[in-house]
């Protein structure tokens, strides 16, 4: 077994011990599930769906026989210790078979992702090397964000992204559904938001919107890959598409035109008008009913055209609306100045913000520092795509940082996790999306999952190099950074 199968695992497992023997998959191999475990069955069906086309083997899924048969893959909750939590798993080769032990769907699902990486990426022999792995995540929030508002992305393109996130044990996809340039979700009580506000885009971008059925299809697809969708309606700024769709939302009753530029901070809802809160309540109410996850992201960023006092008033009423809907509020770090409530989640993005103030008010932090994980930033000066206002972010820059060390007065218990946004002012298609996200997103996945101690760029860059053939086999249009000695095998 060449080293790649052991030493190209991303994210790096908490504990891995090489063992003798292999589990060889053959036409007689089966995927066996502990009787009665629906989570294990769902994960097993998912795994079969991936391995059958890859290997050409039948790999039937069956309820587990008592004895372990060589060449078979087993899913069982027996022996899964509480230290694994919901997302952890144990993966081991025993007497020539492969056993995945877990306590919940996510754990079984993540065992499948590691198993996929222990198999060769493209051709046989389909042998899983002798190994014992015990693995679980450091942070509960490990994600990315896709801005579908500047430029729209289709259901199939978002599903492709969800598949790639899942392969690296990322479990959150934040969808930025509204902004100045576009409104991307149908709201029945305000149909013009999508019908008119969805008909524009940033210059060179794509118009469009998700119907409710399409959005629910994405939410279900995400859930089947242990990913929670986090929908964002950006308020009170970044609202030109909404203001263009309904004159009555505007302070002077006049609707602006659709906006195709790249400026920010020029739009605001009218905090003094009562209709604004009916709008917000209707929109968030319909979105909350569509979203199985517990989160509603209300934006709050760059409200440069909203007076400070208006902003505080507005955000206070938005917090009431989100609370009445029984959802957990997420907002960009500007919401700290509006006053937070215990349990709110603050997404830290700016270089100069006050996370200690947020934690003091009982909030938890999602770390998205613009100088490290804003993946619309260019890799280097020669990168054609992307922007450079925050920083140039090469693969090493996106890897060599830690969410708990960004601010001196923030501790491990204050941080919920990490999220890498992709803003799409200049990213208008799937190939460009993949180019900007990969390989930097693999480093973010490792920061979110793997232990902090022992993490080093020098070690990771070789593992990433060995992982290259797997990205190629998956057809990912990834950036071949000169910082990584890519293996061409
Ligand atoms: N900042 C804006 C985004 C986007 C981004 C582009 C936030 C929270 C710059 N707000 O990041 O809408 O324009 O890099």
């Amino acid at each position: 077994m060449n080293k790649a199968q052991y030493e190209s695992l991303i994210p790096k497992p908490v504990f891995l011990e090489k063992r003798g023997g292999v589990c060889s998959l053959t036409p007689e191999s089966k995927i066996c599930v502990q009787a009665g475990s629906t989570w294990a069955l769902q994960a097993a069906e998912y795994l079969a769906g991936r391995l059958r086309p890859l290997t050409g083997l039948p790999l039937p899924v069956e309820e587990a026989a008592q004895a372990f048969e060589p060449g078979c893959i087993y899913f069982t909750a027996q022996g899964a210790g509480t230290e694994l939590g919901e997302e952890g798993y144990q993966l081991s080769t025993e007497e020539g078979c492969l056993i995945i032990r877990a306590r919940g769907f996510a754990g079984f699902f993540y065992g499948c992702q590691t198993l996929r990486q222990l198999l060769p990426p493209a051709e046989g022999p389909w042998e899983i090397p002798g190994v014992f792995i015990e693995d679980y995540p450091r942070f509960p929030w490990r994600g990315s964000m896709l801005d579908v508002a500047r430029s729209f992305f289709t259901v199939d393109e978002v599903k492709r992204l969800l598949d790639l996130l899942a392969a690296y044990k990322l479990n959150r996809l934040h969808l930025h559904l509204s902004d100045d340039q576009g409104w991307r979700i149908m709201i029945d009580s305000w149909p013009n938001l999508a019908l008119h506000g969805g008909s524009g885009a940033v210059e060179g971008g794509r118009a469009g919107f998700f119907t409710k059925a399409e959005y629910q299809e994405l939410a279900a697809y995400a859930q089947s890959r242990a990913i929670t969708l986090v929908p964002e309606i950006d308020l009170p700024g970044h609202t030109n598409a909404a203001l263009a769709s309904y004159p009555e939302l505007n302070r002077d009753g006049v609707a602006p035109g659709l906006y195709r530029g790249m400026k920010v901070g020029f739009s605001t809802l009218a905090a003094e008008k009562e209709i604004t809160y009916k709008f917000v309540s209707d929109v968030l109410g319909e979105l909350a009913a569509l979203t199985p996850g517990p989160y509603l992201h209300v934006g709050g960023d760059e409200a440069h055209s909203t007076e400070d006092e208006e902003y505080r008033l507005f955000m206070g009423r938005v917090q009431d609306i989100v609370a009445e809907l029984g959802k957990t509020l997420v907002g960009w770090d500007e919401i700290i100045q509006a006053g937070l409530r215990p349990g709110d989640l603050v997404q830290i993005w700016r270089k100069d913000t006050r996370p200690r103030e947020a934690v003091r008010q009982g909030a938890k932090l999602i770390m998205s520092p613009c100088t490290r994980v804003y993946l619309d930033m260019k890799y280097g000066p020669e990168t054609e795509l992307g922007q450079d206002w925050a920083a140039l972010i090469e693969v090493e820059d996106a890897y060599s940082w830690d969410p708990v060390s960004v601010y001196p007065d923030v501790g491990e218990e204050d941080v919920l996790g990490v999220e890498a946004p992709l803003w799409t002012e200049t990213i208008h298609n799937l190939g460009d999306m993949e180019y900007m996200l990969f390989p930097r997103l693999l480093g973010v996945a490792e920061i979110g999952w793997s232990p902090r101690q022992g993490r080093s760029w020098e070690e990771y860059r070789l593992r990433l190099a060995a992982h290259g053939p797997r990205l190629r086999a998956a057809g990912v249009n990834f950036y071949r950074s000169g910082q990584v000695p890519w293996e061409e095998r």
Side-chain angles (χ1 to χ4, degrees):
M1 184 51 58
N2 61 28
K3 73 173 176 61
Q5 264 51 45
Y6 286 117
E7 288 152 20
S8 60
L9 293 176
I10 297 176
K12 188 175 187 176
V14 172
F15 178 82
L16 180 148
E17 182 181 79
K18 295 178 185 175
R19 283 191 172 162
V22 293
C23 169
S24 300
L25 299 184
T26 68
E28 288 67 43
S29 292
K30 294 179 284 189
I31 300 179
C32 303
V33 172
Q34 173 189 344
S37 170
T38 47
W39 293 320
L41 180 60
Q42 193 183 341
E45 295 290 2
Y46 167 88
L47 181 67
R50 307 274 90 62
L51 296 192
R52 285 174 186 150
L54 173 71
T55 63
L57 298 172
L59 294 171
V61 174
E62 296 180 0
E63 289 234 339
Q66 285 319 307
F68 291 144
E69 297 168 47
C72 291
I73 297 170
Y74 288 86
F75 288 77
T76 178
Q78 283 157 15
T82 49
E83 73 285 353
L84 294 181
E86 276 306 292
E87 297 189 278
Y89 64 92
Q90 194 189 78
L91 182 151
S92 63
T93 47
E94 297 170 21
E95 293 107 50
C97 66
L98 189 284
I99 303 168
I100 296 176
R101 294 181 171 88
R103 303 172 63 82
F105 171 68
F108 286 119
F109 185 80
Y110 293 141
C112 294
Q113 299 314 326
T114 299
L115 171 51
R116 291 174 71 194
Q117 291 191 22
L118 286 169
L119 283 165
E123 62 233 3
W126 304 112
E127 293 177 347
I128 301 151
V131 73
F132 177 80
I133 292 174
E134 190 128 282
D135 201 11
Y136 47 84
R138 174 184 174 193
F139 293 116
W141 190 292
R142 308 179 305 278
S144 185
M145 183 210 84
L146 180 60
D147 167 10
V148 295
R150 275 45 182 266
S151 187
F152 187 60
F153 283 80
T154 66
V155 168
D156 286 342
E157 290 170 334
V158 177
K159 284 183 176 179
R160 163 70 170 177
L161 176 58
L162 286 164
D163 283 336
L164 292 170
L165 298 181
Y168 297 99
K169 304 189 177 76
L170 290 162
N171 65 1
R172 298 282 186 276
L173 177 60
H174 167 180
L175 282 181
H176 186 75
L177 292 166
S178 68
D179 212 299
D180 291 319
Q181 297 84 346
W183 185 283
R184 305 300 183 202
I185 177 73
M186 173 50 77
I187 299 293
D188 295 335
S189 51
W190 298 72
N192 266 1
L193 292 170
L195 297 176
H196 181 61
S199 67
V202 72
E203 201 56 53
R206 281 187 287 179
F209 63 86
F210 296 124
T211 64
K212 288 193 161 186
E214 288 168 336
Y215 178 86
Q216 287 182 301
E217 183 184 341
L218 285 175
Y221 194 87
Q223 248 180 343
S224 70
R225 283 150 176 76
I227 294 171
T228 301
L229 271 197
V230 181
E232 178 188 353
I233 299 294
D234 203 344
L235 305 164
H238 288 274
T239 42
N240 188 75
L243 295 165
S245 304
Y246 287 95
E248 60 271 42
L249 285 177
N250 294 267
R251 185 157 282 148
D252 57 4
V254 177
L258 290 174
Y259 178 68
R260 305 183 66 86
M262 287 176 55
K263 288 203 314 270
V264 298
F266 60 89
S267 58
T268 179
L269 292 175
E272 77 283 2
K273 294 181 84 168
E274 207 42 45
I275 190 170
T276 297
Y277 302 98
K278 169 145 180 42
F279 164 74
V280 171
S281 179
D282 290 348
V283 166
L284 294 184
E286 290 194 35
L287 193 54
L290 277 184
T291 303
Y295 310 109
L296 278 183
H297 197 308
V298 298
D301 62 306
E302 298 179 319
H304 303 324
S305 303
T306 317
E307 297 301 322
D308 289 355
E309 190 44 38
E310 284 183 336
Y311 181 86
R312 269 190 290 277
L313 266 174
F314 175 84
M315 272 303 160
R317 290 190 66 174
V318 170
Q319 285 171 319
D320 291 341
I321 291 167
V322 172
E324 278 148 31
L325 291 168
K327 296 288 186 179
T328 296
L329 181 138
V330 192
W332 298 104
D333 61 44
E334 286 92 332
I335 65 169
I336 298 173
Q337 73 201 19
L340 301 169
R341 303 185 183 176
D344 285 351
L345 307 185
V346 177
Q347 187 160 8
I348 302 288
W349 67 284
R350 293 180 296 170
K351 298 170 192 170
D352 55 345
T353 184
R354 292 172 297 123
R356 187 75 242 150
E357 177 59 18
V359 171
R360 197 184 55 71
Q361 298 179 44
K364 291 282 184 194
L365 308 176
I366 297 161
M367 299 305 288
S368 298
C370 60
T371 54
R372 294 290 186 173
V373 293
Y374 263 37
L375 301 187
D376 61 317
M377 291 303 119
K378 295 174 183 291
Y379 287 97
E382 76 296 337
T383 311
E384 280 177 33
L385 293 167
Q387 303 191 63
D388 59 8
W389 65 267
L392 294 175
I393 302 179
E394 248 292 358
V395 176
E396 179 177 5
D397 303 314
Y399 183 80
S400 300
W401 67 285
D402 190 83
V404 177
S405 59
V406 177
Y407 294 96
D409 51 5
V410 162
E412 184 91 9
E413 68 290 346
D414 302 326
V415 175
L416 205 51
V418 60
E419 181 183 302
L422 182 72
W423 300 104
T424 58
E425 283 94 336
T426 66
I427 311 299
H428 302 154
N429 60 60
L430 183 60
D432 290 354
M433 178 214 291
E434 293 185 358
Y435 186 81
M436 297 304 272
L437 287 178
F438 297 91
R440 291 180 293 188
L441 197 56
L442 274 59
V444 175
E446 178 142 313
I447 290 167
W449 179 279
S450 306
R452 176 180 186 175
Q453 58 276 11
R455 201 150 46 77
S456 82
W457 167 250
E458 279 318 313
E459 185 275 332
Y460 173 74
R461 69 188 277 275
L462 300 178
R463 194 154 30 93
L464 178 57
H467 196 91
R470 190 167 299 278
L471 287 173
R472 207 168 42 251
V476 177
N477 175 40
F478 66 101
Y479 164 66
R480 267 65 169 186
S481 167
Q483 297 180 332
V484 179
W486 297 105
E487 295 184 15
E488 288 311 315
R489 177 177 76 280

